[in-house]
Amino acid sequence: MPFTSKSQPRPPRKRLLRVLFSTALLLVGLVLLDVGFSLFWPLQNEYKSVVETSQGFATCFSSDPNESFPLDIRGSSTHREGLGDVLLRWGVDAITVVKDPVPVMAMKKRTVEGLAEITPHCTLATKKRIAGAAPGRPIEVQILGDSVAYGQGLSDHQTLGFQLARSFPRINFTNYAQAGLNIKEIARELRMLLSKSHGRKLKVMYVYFFNDLLNWRQPAQPQPTLVRQLFSPGSPGEILARRSYLLSALLLSERERARRQVEARHFESSYLGPANRGNLDATMEEIAAMHASVVDRGGQFWVVLYPYLRLPHEDGSTQARIHDMLCADISRRGVHCLDGREAFKEHDSLEHLYVHPTDDHPGPEANRLMASFLAQNIKID
C-alpha cells in the first residue's frame, strides 16, 4: 500500500496571523477606496435660502452660509465675494432664515442650465412673471397653481409659462400661481380673475400637484431604522461617519430611500385609501366648480397633472396609479385633464430635472419637457 502524507493542520497562531493580515489588507483597501472617492466624487453640505428683494425675491444656494448668507448686508460696504455681491446689485430688503444643510454629492461638478457652477448661485423671481413673457400678444392664458406652477427656485425665463410662450407664438401665458397655495386659495384666485375680466373669456390652465388635495397633510418623518439608530446624531457611529466618505454615502442613500418610501405610502393612502375618499371627492368638486365658472362664461379650462419628480412615475407605480385615477375622476366631470407624466416617459429617473439637489421643484429642463408635451396635446382657441 503506497504511503500518502496527510496535510498537517496549521497551528492556531499561524491561522490568527493570516486572519489579521487579511483584515489589515482589507482595511487598507477600504481606506484607499474611501480617500479615492472623497477626492473624485466629494460630499459637501448645501444650504438654501430665500431672499426678499426690491424686484421680487431670490432663491439662493451655497455650500458656505457664512460667506454667502451674511446676517445683514444692507448698507454693508465690504463683504466677501459670493452671493452677497449678487444680492447687493439686486437691492436686498431682507434675508430669511437659512434652512438646515443638506449633504449632496459632487455639487461643484454639476451645472444648471443658464447658470455657472451650482455653488454658489441665486435665481431671481421678478414681478413681471405675472405679466408673462410677451404681454403684447393677442391671446392670453392664465396659469394657476402653487410653487410648481410658479417656478420656485427658477428665474422668470425658466418657468413653465415662459417656456410655453416659446411654443405658442401668438399666446402670452400670465402666471398667477403662488407658492404654498391650496386648492381653496387657488379657487379664490380664479374668482378674483373672473371678477376683473370685464366680460373677457378667460383661458385658464390649472397646474395640479399632489399637495393641492383638500386638507393635505405633509408626510410623517421616516421611522428610525437600524442604520439610522447606529448613526444617530452624537453617537460614535455618527462621529465616525463624518470622517468616512463611504459611511456618509451609505447614510445619504438610506435617508433618501426611507424618505421616498414614506412619501409613496403617504400619497397612496391620501389618494387611494378609502379613509380619505371624502377629501378627494371634495377636491374634484372644487375643480369641477372652477371649470364651470370659466366655461359658463365662454372660456377654456384645463387641468395639468405635474408629477412629483422624486417618486417613480413609470406605469404601475404609485404615482402612475394616482394620476390615472385623478384624470379619470376629472374627465368624468367634463374637465379636460392632461397627465404630465407623459412629458417624462423617455426618462427612467427624474432627479437630474430638479431645480437643485436640495430642492426637488421642477427645474428648467423639466418645464421645457412639460411645455413641449402641452404644445402637442392642447388646443387653445
Side-chain angles (χ1 to χ4, degrees):
M1 180 176 183
F3 175 78
T4 57
S5 62
K6 294 183 179 179
S7 59
Q8 298 296 321
R10 292 190 181 91
R13 184 179 177 184
K14 285 188 176 181
R15 285 203 305 272
L16 178 61
L17 288 174
R18 191 177 183 87
V19 169
L20 291 175
F21 181 72
S22 300
T23 303
L25 281 179
L26 178 62
L27 289 175
V28 169
L30 288 174
V31 169
L32 291 175
L33 188 65
D34 201 272
V35 171
F37 270 112
S38 65
L39 289 174
F40 296 102
W41 195 253
L43 287 172
Q44 65 187 65
N45 285 332
E46 281 292 306
Y47 298 81
K48 173 186 172 183
S49 184
V50 176
V51 182
E52 298 177 7
T53 78
S54 56
Q55 301 181 38
F57 70 89
T59 303
C60 302
F61 307 95
S62 173
S63 56
D64 190 342
N66 296 318
E67 289 188 9
S68 303
F69 298 106
L71 293 179
D72 188 351
I73 63 174
R74 292 170 294 178
S76 173
S77 57
T78 59
H79 52 275
R80 303 185 187 194
E81 293 183 0
L83 301 184
D85 294 319
V86 177
L87 298 179
L88 278 182
R89 290 199 296 272
W90 286 345
V92 170
D93 299 321
I95 297 181
T96 64
V97 177
V98 179
K99 293 186 178 181
D100 292 334
V102 179
V104 294
M105 293 185 182
M107 285 297 307
K108 291 183 179 179
K109 294 179 181 295
R110 298 182 59 180
T111 59
V112 171
E113 180 186 353
L115 298 169
E117 277 190 342
I118 282 186
T119 306
H121 84 259
C122 287
T123 55
L124 179 64
T126 68
K127 296 176 182 178
K128 76 173 185 178
R129 190 167 296 191
I130 291 178
R137 292 181 178 176
I139 302 174
E140 181 178 305
V141 172
Q142 294 81 22
I143 295 176
L144 294 177
D146 59 9
S147 56
V148 171
Y150 178 80
Q152 185 79 17
L154 296 175
S155 297
D156 294 331
H157 72 279
Q158 299 170 325
T159 61
L160 179 60
F162 275 58
Q163 300 272 19
L164 282 166
R166 298 190 184 107
S167 300
F168 294 88
R170 298 184 66 251
I171 302 173
N172 183 41
F173 291 82
T174 55
N175 194 333
Y176 291 90
Q178 297 179 47
L181 293 189
N182 58 43
I183 193 166
K184 288 286 188 182
E185 293 165 328
I186 292 168
R188 189 181 308 129
E189 189 74 22
L190 176 58
R191 288 195 293 272
M192 289 180 60
L193 286 175
L194 289 168
S195 67
K196 297 177 181 178
S197 64
H198 304 296
R200 287 188 303 119
K201 298 176 181 179
L202 298 187
K203 304 177 190 303
V204 177
M205 180 182 294
Y206 172 26
V207 180
Y208 183 94
F209 192 63
F210 273 128
N211 57 8
D212 291 358
L213 181 71
L214 196 66
N215 297 323
W216 172 260
R217 295 181 180 180
Q218 292 298 329
Q221 292 297 316
Q223 293 296 318
T225 61
L226 178 60
V227 172
R228 296 180 69 193
Q229 289 175 344
L230 289 174
F231 297 96
S232 59
S235 67
E238 192 259 347
I239 296 172
L240 178 62
R242 288 182 186 176
R243 293 164 172 77
S244 168
Y245 175 93
L246 294 176
L247 285 176
S248 297
L250 172 66
L251 289 178
L252 279 176
S253 175
E254 167 62 18
R255 181 189 302 169
E256 181 66 12
R257 183 202 64 78
R259 178 180 172 182
R260 292 188 188 196
Q261 188 177 61
V262 167
E263 286 179 335
R265 288 175 180 171
H266 180 68
F267 291 144
E268 184 171 16
S269 64
S270 297
Y271 278 93
L272 304 177
N276 281 330
R277 186 67 212 187
N279 287 334
L280 181 60
D281 288 340
T283 301
M284 296 297 102
E285 291 305 319
E286 194 74 57
I287 290 175
M290 293 167 66
H291 169 263
S293 68
V294 174
V295 173
D296 289 351
R297 290 172 172 83
Q300 291 181 278
F301 186 89
W302 307 271
V303 175
V304 177
L305 305 183
Y306 210 122
Y308 185 25
L309 303 182
R310 181 180 292 276
L311 292 183
H313 64 288
E314 69 276 1
D315 291 344
S317 65
T318 296
Q319 182 156 216
R321 289 189 292 127
I322 292 173
H323 272 223
D324 289 344
M325 181 268 297
L326 282 174
C327 255
D329 273 8
I330 292 170
S331 299
R332 202 159 36 241
R333 289 167 169 81
V335 184
H336 189 178
C337 177
L338 296 111
D339 186 353
R341 282 192 315 117
E342 293 297 315
F344 309 103
K345 59 185 178 182
E346 302 300 327
H347 298 263
D348 294 330
S349 173
L350 305 179
E351 292 180 14
H352 64 290
L353 301 177
Y354 294 173
V355 165
H356 185 271
T358 66
D359 188 334
D360 50 24
H361 282 91
E365 178 62 13
N367 284 333
R368 187 193 67 78
L369 292 169
M370 180 63 76
S372 176
F373 162 73
L374 293 174
Q376 297 173 28
N377 292 278
I378 197 169
K379 181 181 179 183
I380 303 174
D381 297 335

